[in-house]
Amino acid sequence: MVTRRQFLQGAASLALLGSRPGRSSAFAAAGRAAPATDAATAGGWTRHVDVFTGTGGHGHTYPGASLPFGMVQLSPDTHESGWDAASGYHQGDGSIMGFSHTHLSGTGIGDMLDVLLMPAQGPVLLQPGRRGLPDGNFHSKYDGVPNPRALLPDNHAQPGRGYRSRYDQASEQAQPGYYRVRLSDHDILAELTATLRAGLHRYTFARKGAGHLLLDLAHGYHTDPAQPAKITDAELRVVGDDTLVGGRRVHAWADGRHVYFALKLSRPFTRAELYSDDQPLHGAKQAKGAHLKAALHVADAGSAPLLVKVGLSAVDTDGALRNLDTEIPGWDFEQVRHAATASWERELGRIRVQDAPAPVLKTFYSALYHTLLAPTLFSDVDGRYRGMDQAVHQLPQGRHNYSTYSLWDTYRAQHPLLTLVQPERVPDLVDGLVRMAVESPDGPPVWPLQGIETGCMIGYHSAVVLAEAHAKGFKSIDYARAWPVFRKRAMDDDYRGLSYYRKLGYLPSDKEAEAVSKTLEYAYDDWAMAHLAEAVGAHDDAKTLRQRSRNYRHLFDAKSAFMRPRGSDGAWLQPFDPRGMGHSKQWRDFTESNAWQATFLNQHDLYEYIRLFGGDAAFVAKLDGLFEADPTLPADAPADIAGMVGQYAHGNEPSHHVAYLYAYAGAHHKTQARVRMLLEGMYAAAPDGIAGNEDCGQMSAWYVMSALGLYAVDPVSAHYVFGSPLLAHAEIDVGRGRVLTVRSRGNGPGRPYIQSVAWNGRPWTKSWIGHAELARGGTLEFVMGATPNQRFGTAPADRPPSFGSAAA
């Protein structure tokens, strides 16, 4: 299976965009209006969300309509191939192919873009044509930002030769759960909203005459612009004079996933024409093949808005129709839109921020919004779902199944955030991983997407999510059922170098690609597995796994104080450049990182690790060296290594805990300074306001947690290290009617340093706090200042626990 590393080797290596214009300046330059507001959103939390955050640069987000954790992500597609089309949309493109119903949020590989619809008038055009900017040209810069599209070979083609349309960017508006745009080539206003499992379109035709709705069931993401998406088992069936149902299997990143749909029009179509391989099937009411399309014709399209509702299912067309009829029984667009807004208000309102500047509010709530888009619902209203074995299963009453777990990324901050702000959803999210492990022929989930294991990225960090949930006391999760599958992976499977890891204590770089990163991540998975072993009473296994979690020591070179590639004979491999990707051109020694970043990939055993460096002072000096190093990267560095501060790379997840490591060496004031710098410098509510790929909420979750002053360096430990809270006042619903209030007095620009902390009115000298305390509710108060209080968190007893104990 393709890994993200392999995918990126074939993509253009693009530098991180340096500019981060403010929301107003960016949108003024683009000619785009501010997000729509009305009585439903005025005064609410959704008014602070800029859904276009991350749609430029390399954020890979989409701006369309979805509900929190919804199955449907109804959004415009501007392109369907290439790295920066991973979500189907990029604000640097100038035309829209149509509106499809599934999208990935911020991933480094693309897929989805299912069931594309496009309204039009005139002749039926079956090919999308090629993309361009609104003036018909392509620019090397757009909105003052380098346009990665200009690197693609077809960048001089103009839109208008197919069914895609240029669009009026001033008309492009969106808010959570709603999107609108005017398709200028056809003069059609398109509006989108959604429920959990269905999408609702409203098309207003400005011109008189007949119109049609094109459905392109062959449309989908593909890596190679010269090769269309691979589709099999596609089918279409016309039902009566207002309904079309169908489905397909898609062989892309998630190879062989199923998707079915049911589509209804608000008024009868005069004719339904089906196409196979772009040839009309005159009079046919159903079709099967690999390359199917349909045109649904309506008379006098401009006489009234045309509404289209589409339900999805991974089970069958009956499930799609049942989802549709249950969730959108009528045709009241505004009612569905307002229900979507209410859903977002409810979920965003679980964190209520007060007394924050407008730019901070926008950045915070745009980030919180993105943390709630995945994982995505993957079960029907009747409880059926398609499992990892491709069989159809039935859930118990009241349970839900989910998909889209970017676990290599999200175990670090997004899942810890959800344990605080979505506690009632955690059992379904985590027990779903248990079901996947049991049902899948591939074992524990790594990066599961719509019933398929993509195998993307390294480690098997579903173990971390399970261990964290258990450590935090979450019930209704079958840990015992999970254990045999996870134990087999840890103890027996010859999986991606694990046999070397068990035999040698490390992965040799002359035998296994990305061996250094894999060794370090397997060590952390061992730490999580040790916790799961204790949870099910496997105490001997727990002892073995705890000891094995210290295997990182075998790759630490005390002379250079770097993690280094080692051969199967035990020798350090040459040449070694801490900024380089590997010791040879054959493969890389690191996963989307280099030795500088990998050297700090220790989340669970910090005090033993600090001793390897020679003590606190040496460790702090090495951390300082990371942030102060020359930020230059070699030419073969993957584009994911981005958001550089020295050799610290905030745009990629292995660095996300690193600024918090100073706390373990008694230099917590340096954590405070670094975290505040990253909060203020790496995020903005703007299209290029995310330093790297959003990665299904992880980039944004780092901001949300850090703005609250908290971060889970080791999620399995069930505690949070303090950083530098950005917010003056936030109230967090932590479940069961309990509220956690976080305050920071004396805060503001240039005042990142903690002077003191109080918990429920009593002095708190520790630089960390446990999840159990926060989950009970209470008041956490920081006093901030312009100069560091170097006594705070310095005493060994006040430092965060690691490997089960505080500093010696």
Side-chain angles (χ1 to χ4, degrees):
M1 296 203 179
V2 67
T3 66
R4 182 155 61 176
R5 176 189 63 82
Q6 292 167 334
F7 178 84
L8 290 172
Q9 285 178 334
S13 180
L14 301 172
L16 171 72
L17 302 181
S19 63
R20 284 187 178 79
R23 171 71 164 82
S24 59
S25 62
F27 275 67
R32 180 181 290 126
T37 59
D38 60 14
T41 60
W45 306 109
T46 55
R47 80 187 193 278
H48 299 304
V49 176
D50 179 359
V51 300
F52 291 98
T53 298
T55 60
H58 308 304
H60 297 180
T61 63
Y62 60 85
S66 185
L67 261 59
F69 308 101
M71 180 188 293
V72 165
Q73 307 88 36
L74 178 52
S75 190
D77 292 353
T78 63
H79 202 49
E80 81 280 45
S81 67
W83 189 47
D84 275 334
S87 74
Y89 181 97
H90 193 278
Q91 62 93 29
D93 291 332
S95 60
I96 289 173
M97 307 174 75
F99 307 98
S100 62
H101 292 74
T102 61
H103 294 80
L104 292 167
S105 180
T107 56
I109 302 180
D111 202 325
M112 317 293 272
L113 314 186
D114 296 302
V115 192
L116 181 84
L117 299 182
M118 186 62 164
Q121 289 179 290
V124 174
L125 302 176
L126 297 175
Q127 294 300 318
R130 299 169 113 180
R131 69 197 186 283
L133 291 174
D135 59 6
N137 298 312
F138 268 77
H139 301 266
S140 60
K141 290 192 179 280
Y142 186 74
D143 253 5
V145 177
N147 180 10
R149 294 282 184 258
L151 299 177
L152 297 177
D154 61 345
N155 62 344
H156 294 296
Q158 295 191 18
R161 298 180 182 176
Y163 60 70
R164 76 163 64 235
S165 172
R166 291 168 289 189
Y167 62 99
D168 179 358
Q169 290 184 331
S171 73
E172 189 180 38
Q173 302 177 15
Q175 65 189 51
Y178 173 75
Y179 173 90
R180 64 177 284 168
V181 69
R182 189 176 71 86
L183 302 171
S184 52
D185 284 342
H186 298 291
D187 203 4
I188 297 172
L189 176 65
E191 297 175 273
L192 313 174
T193 189
T195 63
L196 285 172
R197 301 172 179 85
L200 183 60
H201 312 233
R202 181 166 64 186
Y203 298 120
T204 303
F205 291 72
R207 300 170 185 167
K208 295 181 179 180
H212 63 268
L213 182 71
L214 180 74
L215 180 144
D216 189 342
L217 203 59
H219 171 85
Y221 183 87
H222 48 283
T223 58
D224 184 353
Q227 297 292 328
K230 183 179 179 182
I231 309 296
T232 62
D233 306 296
E235 56 181 323
L236 288 172
R237 180 165 55 92
V238 180
V239 180
D241 59 2
D242 65 354
T243 302
L244 181 69
V245 299
R248 65 180 189 173
R249 292 194 75 182
V250 183
H251 302 271
W253 183 27
D255 188 2
R257 62 183 181 85
H258 295 254
V259 60
Y260 299 92
F261 75 92
L263 176 157
K264 290 187 177 183
L265 270 61
S266 58
R267 59 182 187 264
F269 41 77
T270 58
R271 179 166 55 95
E273 188 80 67
L274 304 184
Y275 300 83
S276 179
D277 295 322
D278 290 339
Q279 298 300 311
L281 304 176
H282 298 295
K285 295 296 184 182
Q286 59 184 11
K288 293 184 178 182
H291 194 273
L292 302 182
K293 300 175 185 178
L296 307 178
H297 296 264
V298 293
D300 196 8
S303 62
L306 177 66
L307 277 73
V308 187
K309 52 187 179 181
V310 179
L312 296 185
S313 170
V315 176
D316 52 31
T317 56
D318 288 342
L321 192 60
R322 188 177 299 110
N323 291 341
L324 177 61
D325 289 340
T326 301
E327 295 190 353
I328 313 181
W331 292 101
D332 191 334
F333 185 92
E334 294 304 325
Q335 182 183 52
V336 175
R337 176 190 171 188
H338 283 256
T341 299
S343 179
W344 278 110
E345 287 291 332
R346 182 171 58 253
E347 302 307 328
L348 293 169
R350 291 174 184 246
I351 304 181
R352 299 176 293 279
V353 176
Q354 302 174 18
D355 303 324
V360 172
L361 281 172
K362 276 195 175 295
T363 304
F364 182 87
Y365 280 102
S366 299
L368 182 58
Y369 167 79
H370 281 117
T371 68
L372 303 175
L373 290 174
T376 56
L377 185 65
F378 196 60
S379 54
D380 290 351
V381 293
D382 60 4
R384 294 185 304 158
Y385 71 96
R386 187 172 296 276
M388 300 291 280
D389 54 3
Q390 295 303 290
V392 175
H393 299 265
Q394 180 72 47
L395 288 166
Q397 183 72 24
R399 300 305 294 261
H400 301 86
N401 193 56
Y402 289 86
S403 179
T404 319
Y405 288 80
S406 185
L407 292 164
W408 185 79
D409 309 289
T410 56
Y411 86 84
R412 305 167 196 267
Q414 193 220 18
H415 284 283
L417 172 65
L418 296 181
T419 65
L420 275 175
V421 302
Q422 295 280 333
E424 76 287 349
R425 201 181 301 268
V426 169
D428 273 348
L429 291 173
V430 179
D431 205 44
L433 293 173
V434 175
R435 285 193 300 274
M436 290 183 201
V438 172
E439 295 165 2
S440 174
D442 300 307
V446 175
W447 213 123
L449 177 60
Q450 297 214 330
I452 300 293
E453 178 57 73
T454 69
C456 186
M457 306 312 295
I458 62 175
Y460 51 102
H461 298 319
S462 51
V464 180
V465 178
L466 264 70
E468 178 193 26
H470 185 270
K472 292 179 176 178
F474 284 95
K475 310 299 183 184
S476 301
I477 299 167
D478 199 341
Y479 302 103
R481 186 184 184 205
W483 172 247
V485 181
F486 280 84
R487 187 193 185 281
K488 182 175 182 294
R489 170 61 49 84
M491 299 299 201
D492 300 319
D493 285 352
D494 185 14
Y495 175 83
R496 295 184 177 178
L498 271 175
S499 58
Y500 290 118
Y501 178 82
R502 288 189 288 263
K503 179 180 178 181
L504 301 176
Y506 66 95
L507 274 69
S509 286
D510 57 347
K511 301 293 185 182
E512 184 78 16
E514 303 176 56
V516 177
S517 292
K518 286 178 180 176
T519 299
L520 301 177
E521 301 216 18
Y522 286 147
Y524 189 63
D525 286 338
D526 278 348
W527 174 247
M529 288 290 293
H531 184 95
L532 288 176
E534 292 285 10
V536 300
H539 303 300
D540 289 344
D541 284 339
K543 182 179 179 180
T544 298
L545 288 160
R546 268 194 302 274
Q547 186 59 34
R548 212 172 70 181
S549 77
R550 285 180 158 166
N551 274 351
Y552 63 83
R553 293 178 295 185
H554 299 297
L555 293 184
F556 184 79
D557 175 17
K559 183 176 181 180
S560 66
F562 279 108
M563 287 291 175
R564 288 190 54 180
R566 199 168 198 165
S568 52
D569 61 357
W572 299 117
L573 295 181
Q574 299 289 351
F576 174 66
D577 174 1
R579 294 182 301 173
M581 300 299 105
H583 73 283
S584 74
K585 294 182 179 180
Q586 181 181 2
W587 52 43
R588 291 173 174 163
D589 297 320
F590 308 93
T591 302
E592 297 183 6
S593 57
N594 60 22
W596 265 115
Q597 293 124 40
T599 290
F600 297 99
L601 191 55
N602 189 317
Q603 298 170 250
H604 68 289
D605 192 21
L606 271 303
Y607 298 114
E608 176 66 19
Y609 197 48
I610 288 170
R611 282 189 280 272
L612 293 181
F613 284 84
D616 290 345
F619 186 69
V620 168
K622 191 70 173 183
L623 275 170
D624 286 343
L626 169 76
F627 285 98
E628 295 166 4
D630 180 348
T632 305
L633 292 170
D636 64 340
D640 291 83
I641 305 179
M644 304 301 292
V645 180
Q647 283 293 313
Y648 171 90
H650 192 73
N652 210 27
E653 283 69 19
S655 289
H656 276 191
H657 68 287
V658 172
Y660 290 88
L661 296 183
Y662 287 103
Y664 295 82
H668 192 268
H669 64 285
K670 292 200 170 189
T671 282
Q672 298 158 30
R674 299 290 189 197
V675 168
R676 180 63 66 91
M677 174 266 296
L678 294 169
L679 282 165
E680 293 178 340
M682 291 290 168
Y683 295 86
D688 66 336
I690 301 175
N693 302 160
E694 164 62 16
D695 284 318
C696 293
Q698 170 58 28
M699 286 294 296
S700 290
W702 188 96
Y703 183 89
V704 171
M705 292 294 290
S706 295
L708 292 169
L710 307 166
Y711 194 80
V713 170
D714 172 14
V716 177
S717 71
H719 65 251
Y720 306 92
V721 180
F722 296 146
S724 179
L726 193 63
L727 306 173
H729 186 107
E731 295 178 353
I732 307 163
D733 288 339
V734 292
R736 293 181 289 180
R738 299 170 177 176
V739 175
L740 168 65
T741 300
V742 179
R743 296 177 182 146
S744 60
R745 295 194 291 113
N747 209 341
R751 300 178 66 84
Y753 295 107
I754 295 174
Q755 307 300 300
S756 63
V757 178
W759 172 241
N760 289 332
R762 297 181 178 181
W764 185 272
T765 61
K766 299 173 184 177
S767 62
W768 62 279
I769 193 167
H771 178 84
E773 284 87 358
L774 300 184
R776 286 194 289 268
T779 299
L780 180 65
E781 185 169 67
F782 299 89
V783 176
M784 309 301 292
T787 58
N789 173 6
Q790 296 193 25
R791 297 185 303 277
F792 180 78
T794 300
D798 289 335
R799 302 180 193 182
S802 190
F803 208 83
S805 63

